[in-house]
Amino acid sequence: MRLKPRILDRYILTSWSRIFLLTAIGLPLTTIIIELTDNINGWLQDGLGWKRIALATLLRLPENMFEVMPAAVLFATIFTIGNLSRNTELTAIKASGISFHRMLRPLIIASVFAAALGVAVGELAPGATRKGLEIEGKKKILSRNEKYNFVFRADQGWVYTISSLDIAHQTLGGLLLERQGTGDAFPTIVVTADSARWDSAGRHWQLWSGSTRLISARENVQDFSFNTLRRSAMNEKPAELRQEPKDPEEMRYGELGDYITALQRSGNDANKLIVERSLKIILPITCIVIALFGAPLALTAPRAGAAVGLALSLATTLIFLTLIQLSQAIGISGVIPPQVAAWFPTVLFLFLGLWLLARART
């Protein structure tokens, strides 16, 4: 009896999906339970109720899921192929005329979906993590309509020092705007104003009762007073000025890119953040690479038990995580470009996977 490819695809996908979901959710939950056990006494002493503790703990799930997604794909691939080998099903599949490479097609498709899921979870994780920290009291929740005594770094080298922001009335109080210059053709500019109001129609701020100071390289200073001044370059909306600075792990891919650009513009070293931003894309893509690597790896011991499959999965995961840590350190140090360092483990596993796949008996 000839085995139909579609029936085989459904069978493999069902087995793979069950193991993948169990690992992708089970491993993060295990980590969360350990963290909950370690911190429960402190949270209760801080006055957090059980509902808030449970919500704060569950909000850590997306971040943990994102980190273990490649490991979940590896576990699912090795155990699925390993089970087929141990139960002689792989022999029956080949005897029916279906090659090993054809049999891998549903696994590769599933890994692509896992990569897409990884991207989605990676974009969801920063907001969930930040909300969890706010519930735990580690992040201050700001008033929705007011903010006081803060600094905002804008585009084109401008830095705003603002005494007060009222979003409801779209006004600012006590402004100091500064842009560092480089010479006579590009002088330092310092603008002070008592207040400002947002012009919704013109999409700019109108400054009131202040002065503008131009400082050239020769230390020539020119002062101009004004009753009202239109700042077309200052086009950040009131709600944008209110945003509290975030830690890198609390930023989505696009936000982190903007933050890196601002750091580089101000002359700061952004290598660490460039590596972390690259990993937000690399880890999901690794799901596909790890499937190519894990499938032929599972054939190395076809008659071995589940313990061997578990050992292979854990050892490979440990090696991969170690390589990521090393590449991060190298990229941060600037020895090689940070993007190259971030991509190195994934590219290495891709070549190893293709080599193992080429050597696999089809």
Side-chain angles (χ1 to χ4, degrees):
M1 181 178 178
R2 187 177 181 83
L3 184 62
K4 295 182 178 180
R6 290 185 179 180
I7 297 177
L8 175 63
D9 291 346
R10 287 197 297 268
Y11 176 72
I12 293 176
L13 280 175
T14 300
S15 176
W16 188 94
S17 300
R18 182 170 59 250
I19 301 172
F20 170 76
L21 291 175
L22 181 63
T23 309
I25 298 176
L27 287 180
L29 282 178
T30 302
T31 303
I32 289 173
I33 291 173
I34 294 173
E35 182 180 357
L36 177 64
T37 304
D38 292 339
N39 299 322
I40 188 67
N41 290 333
W43 288 338
L44 291 175
Q45 290 175 3
D46 291 339
L48 272 69
W50 285 103
K51 290 183 179 180
R52 293 180 64 189
I53 291 175
L55 180 58
T57 302
L58 289 176
L59 285 171
R60 296 293 184 91
L61 186 60
E63 179 182 1
N64 290 321
M65 284 185 62
F66 175 74
E67 294 174 353
V68 304
M69 201 72 71
V73 171
L74 179 63
F75 272 63
T77 302
I78 286 183
F79 276 92
T80 298
I81 301 299
N83 289 336
L84 292 175
S85 298
R86 285 189 297 274
N87 298 328
T88 67
E89 292 172 313
L90 186 57
T91 302
I93 291 170
K94 293 180 179 180
S96 66
I98 299 176
S99 68
F100 178 69
H101 291 164
R102 169 60 183 85
M103 188 193 70
L104 291 183
R105 186 181 299 175
L107 296 184
I108 302 302
I109 294 174
S111 67
V112 172
F113 280 100
L117 178 62
V119 172
V121 172
E123 289 294 284
L124 175 66
T129 299
R130 184 176 180 84
K131 185 63 177 177
L133 292 174
E134 290 176 352
I135 293 174
E136 294 174 22
K138 296 180 180 178
K139 282 287 181 180
K140 184 178 179 181
I141 303 176
L142 300 178
S143 167
R144 292 186 176 183
N145 294 321
E146 296 178 350
K147 188 176 182 180
Y148 299 97
N149 300 321
F150 64 97
V151 176
F152 183 90
R153 186 177 296 276
D155 293 333
Q156 301 176 1
W158 282 94
V159 177
Y160 309 155
T161 303
I162 302 173
S163 298
S164 64
L165 164 65
D166 188 335
I167 294 180
H169 296 92
Q170 298 187 322
T171 59
L172 299 173
L175 283 79
L176 172 62
L177 317 178
E178 184 175 4
R179 187 205 67 188
Q180 291 291 332
T182 58
D184 293 336
F186 192 74
T188 296
I189 303 177
V190 180
V191 180
T192 60
D194 291 341
S195 60
R197 180 177 294 276
W198 173 252
D199 185 342
S200 300
R203 299 178 63 83
H204 65 267
W205 287 93
Q206 194 80 17
L207 278 59
W208 301 90
S209 302
S211 65
T212 299
R213 173 172 292 186
L214 302 179
I215 306 173
S216 67
R218 301 174 184 176
E219 297 186 356
N220 294 328
V221 179
Q222 302 179 55
D223 286 311
F224 307 92
S225 299
F226 60 84
N227 292 324
T228 178
L229 175 67
R230 173 182 174 179
R231 287 289 300 161
S232 57
M234 187 179 176
N235 54 14
E236 294 83 8
K237 297 179 181 179
E240 294 175 351
L241 293 176
R242 178 201 169 275
Q243 292 179 354
E244 183 183 4
K246 299 178 182 179
D247 295 328
E249 61 269 17
E250 298 171 337
M251 298 183 191
R252 295 191 295 272
Y253 185 82
E255 293 176 322
L256 192 52
D258 294 339
Y259 185 57
I260 290 171
T261 301
L263 284 177
Q264 291 175 329
R265 186 184 297 123
S266 60
N268 292 308
D269 183 7
N271 284 346
K272 180 179 180 181
L273 298 180
I274 292 174
V275 173
E276 291 185 4
R277 182 173 185 254
S278 300
L279 289 176
K280 289 181 178 291
I281 295 297
I282 292 172
L283 284 181
I285 292 178
T286 302
C287 292
I288 304 173
V289 174
I290 215 73
L292 294 173
F293 178 86
L297 184 65
L299 295 177
T300 57
R303 297 289 182 180
V308 174
L310 179 61
L312 286 173
S313 300
L314 291 176
T316 304
T317 301
L318 181 60
I319 293 172
F320 180 71
L321 292 177
T322 302
L323 284 175
I324 286 182
Q325 294 296 326
L326 289 174
S327 63
Q328 280 184 298
I330 295 173
I332 293 170
S333 66
V335 175
I336 61 176
Q339 293 94 337
V340 175
W343 278 97
F344 174 74
T346 299
V347 174
L348 176 62
F349 269 67
L350 174 60
F351 281 108
L352 287 175
L354 293 176
W355 179 73
L356 291 172
L357 198 60
R359 289 174 53 89
R361 298 176 61 182
T362 60

